[in-house]
Amino acid sequence: MLTGREGRRRVILSVDLAARRLGLRPGTPVAKAQALHPDLLIMDADPDGDRAGLERLSLWFQHRIAPIVAPDPPDGIVLDTTGADHLHGGEAVMLENMITRLKESGITARATIADTWGAAHALARYGRGRITLVPPGETAAAIADLPIEALRLPADIIDGLHGLGVSRIGPLAGMPRAPLALRFGPDVARRLDQAFGRQAEAIVPVRLQAPVQVSRNFAEPISAAETIARYITKLVPPLCAGLEEREQGVRRLDLLLHRVDSRTEAVRVSTAMPVRDVRRLTRLLCDRIETIDPGFGIERMVLTASLAEPILHRQGVSALIEEEEADVSDLIDTLANRVGTQALYRFAPVESDVPERAVCRVPALAAEDGKEWPDHWPRPTRLLPRPEPIQTMAVLPDHPPVFFIWRGIRRRIRCADGPERVFGEWWKGDAELTTVRDYFRVEDTSGETFWVYRTGDGEHGETGSQGWFLHGLFE
């Protein structure tokens, strides 16, 4: 339980689940809480530390998720993911990955995507779902039944509205504006308009270190795709010049387009390696113009190298017999920014005898780590996502199957090689202390080759169920 001061009173600012079950809530005087429960664990709040932690977490999200990220004190972060969600597999997948990564770090979180900052703030804190996706245009219905505390209003205004018998956003939104403004000032109408999208609310991105940035203001708003492309070609060269002064290349480039209606469109492109090639960066940005909604016009463009890294120079080919290594990074960048970075990868070996653990996905141009694929036994070119059970007849303990039935087709074995015995990795769990698999490479009478295994050694029940599975195909 965290405590702090409100005026001259020392009150509870935050409680955990155990304290909440005791009936304690934020705002309860500390003296009252201690009188009711003398054994409470009370700690002083650290607002400055919390604010710094939110800023660091915002920077983490900015580096990995979207270019426009800002703290939403006291306990939230707001992101504008427009133009960036496709890089993470879509909105639902992106939110799920965010929540999972935070949970792995010991942070319990809830996430919401809505048309406005105010609606997302309200649903993330007062909604029922762990992850909420509000369809465009349905913001009003989604927040109508939420308490008025979700509108980010001052405590005295909330108390006054409760005194009038108003506790939900829907009824509050239906009340006449003039009496509300006369009694409570402009805050109520402003927060309602921000939540419903009738009034824009700018998100000022957090910045840790001044990145290389160039901008252009327009006397007259622009909106045509050709005009946007022309000014992109004018912004990229000075950005690359600034990167050259720092001997850096860009890994992530953010283009922010400020519209006349105070909304901001964002385009993010990523590169597999540090790049400051003007033509490549211009082409990557121009390929994303079709995702930009200029609205009534764009009055300012800002191009930022939000992630830059040193460029490592390497010596070119010096001998006539040497061949220049093909550079496919341009192709990788083009594909990744079209289909998403998560959809473009290559497989790399992992030190494990268990086949499904011996491979992992890494970025397409990730550096080699020196690990090699096992070559003591041949491995199938296609490994099934999960081993599929098959019906077989085999002589135990070490003979291959005579035939097997897979997906309703009976296949007679013409020749086989094995067994290759694979033991469980005992350091991963007690269940693998005694587990065994015997793998066979078998060829049927039609010439197709399969990789099958038996769970267990064929003699002892504690080593496995002795069932048979098909795990891969040699193509």
Side-chain angles (χ1 to χ4, degrees):
M1 187 172 68
L2 299 179
T3 64
R5 290 193 175 275
E6 288 185 357
R8 296 184 179 181
R9 296 193 311 160
R10 189 162 176 249
V11 298
I12 297 174
L13 299 180
S14 179
V15 296
D16 60 8
L17 182 59
R20 189 172 292 275
R21 287 173 177 170
L22 294 176
L24 301 178
R25 297 290 185 271
T28 304
V30 173
K32 178 180 178 181
Q34 289 179 319
L36 294 173
H37 309 283
D39 55 346
L40 285 175
L41 178 61
I42 297 176
M43 301 176 63
D44 291 330
D46 182 12
D48 294 336
D50 293 342
R51 192 177 303 108
L54 273 181
E55 290 182 357
R56 290 195 298 271
L57 192 57
S58 299
L59 288 168
W60 185 89
F61 276 109
Q62 190 179 61
H63 290 165
R64 291 163 177 81
I65 305 297
I68 304 178
V69 183
D72 186 15
D75 57 354
I77 293 174
V78 58
L79 303 87
D80 186 346
T81 61
T82 305
D85 53 349
H86 75 284
L87 297 174
H88 308 282
E91 293 179 343
V93 175
M94 178 183 66
L95 292 188
E96 185 63 40
N97 290 339
M98 288 166 52
I99 296 297
T100 301
R101 290 292 296 273
L102 290 174
K103 185 176 181 180
E104 291 173 352
S105 301
I107 302 174
T108 301
R110 302 168 70 183
T112 298
I113 286 185
D115 289 341
T116 65
W117 177 356
H121 174 101
L123 288 165
R125 290 161 175 79
Y126 295 91
R128 297 179 180 179
R130 172 173 165 268
I131 292 177
T132 305
L133 298 174
V134 181
E138 298 186 12
T139 300
I143 67 174
D145 198 42
L146 297 181
I148 57 175
E149 287 82 357
L151 288 176
R152 298 174 290 170
L153 293 169
D156 56 340
I157 294 181
I158 291 175
D159 291 340
L161 290 171
H162 280 301
L164 295 176
V166 181
S167 61
R168 300 290 169 181
I169 294 177
L172 177 63
M175 295 178 66
R177 292 291 183 89
L180 288 175
L182 183 63
R183 181 164 184 172
F184 299 108
D187 284 345
V188 175
R190 178 171 60 89
R191 288 304 192 189
L192 284 171
D193 288 341
Q194 288 175 344
F196 293 137
R198 294 190 288 262
Q199 180 177 337
E201 186 174 9
I203 301 175
V204 181
V206 63
R207 298 291 185 198
L208 179 62
Q209 179 184 6
V212 179
Q213 185 180 89
V214 292
S215 62
R216 186 69 176 258
N217 296 320
F218 306 110
E220 294 292 335
I222 64 173
S223 59
E226 297 81 1
T227 309
I228 296 173
R230 184 169 70 252
Y231 283 104
I232 287 176
T233 61
K234 294 181 179 181
L235 288 176
V236 173
L239 181 95
C240 292
L243 290 169
E244 187 173 4
E245 292 178 359
R246 300 189 184 186
E247 297 184 350
Q248 292 180 329
V250 67
R251 286 291 310 278
R252 187 169 55 245
L253 195 59
D254 295 328
L255 176 64
L256 303 183
L257 304 103
H258 300 274
R259 306 189 330 189
V260 295
D261 58 358
S262 299
R263 294 183 180 272
T264 302
E265 292 287 309
V267 172
R268 166 169 285 184
V269 297
S270 302
T271 61
M273 302 172 60
V275 174
R276 61 168 179 258
D277 182 83
V278 173
R279 289 186 177 181
R280 184 191 297 191
L281 295 178
T282 300
R283 178 172 50 78
L284 291 175
L285 288 169
C286 289
D287 286 346
R288 303 288 300 148
I289 288 179
E290 62 184 14
T291 67
I292 298 173
D293 178 12
F296 294 106
I298 297 167
E299 61 183 0
R300 187 167 186 258
M301 292 174 61
V302 180
L303 186 61
T304 306
S306 55
L307 178 59
E309 296 178 356
I311 289 184
L312 301 178
H313 300 283
R314 61 179 182 177
Q315 184 175 352
V317 173
S318 58
L320 294 177
I321 60 174
E322 294 184 41
E323 294 184 2
E324 183 72 32
E325 183 179 351
D327 183 8
V328 297
S329 60
D330 192 6
L331 174 63
I332 296 297
D333 293 342
T334 302
L335 294 176
N337 285 282
R338 288 181 181 178
V339 302
T341 55
Q342 292 184 338
L344 199 65
Y345 55 86
R346 65 178 177 84
F347 291 109
V350 177
E351 293 180 350
S352 176
D353 289 332
V354 181
E356 59 265 32
R357 299 175 186 165
V359 62
C360 67
R361 296 180 179 182
V362 298
L365 294 182
E368 298 289 344
D369 56 7
K371 298 177 182 177
E372 298 181 354
W373 297 100
D375 57 0
H376 53 286
W377 282 89
R379 288 292 184 261
T381 53
R382 178 188 171 195
L383 196 69
L384 299 181
R386 292 181 179 84
E388 298 186 12
I390 56 176
Q391 300 177 21
T392 66
M393 183 178 71
V395 179
L396 299 179
D398 55 2
H399 283 258
V402 177
F403 69 88
F404 69 90
I405 301 175
W406 177 52
R407 295 182 179 178
I409 300 177
R410 180 187 179 99
R411 301 176 185 270
R412 176 169 290 278
I413 305 302
R414 182 169 62 184
C415 58
D417 187 17
E420 174 194 357
R421 179 155 292 182
V422 174
F423 293 92
E425 297 176 338
W426 52 266
W427 57 91
K428 291 186 177 293
D430 294 341
E432 298 193 30
L433 286 172
T434 58
T435 55
V436 170
R437 291 181 186 176
D438 281 344
Y439 278 88
F440 293 87
R441 182 183 182 186
V442 299
E443 182 180 334
D444 67 2
T445 53
S446 65
E448 296 185 74
T449 308
F450 304 88
W451 206 37
V452 301
Y453 72 86
R454 180 188 63 241
T455 56
D457 59 6
E459 296 182 279
H460 305 93
E462 65 272 12
T463 61
S465 64
Q466 316 304 325
W468 286 85
F469 295 84
L470 189 144
H471 203 172
L473 298 87
F474 294 85
E475 299 177 348

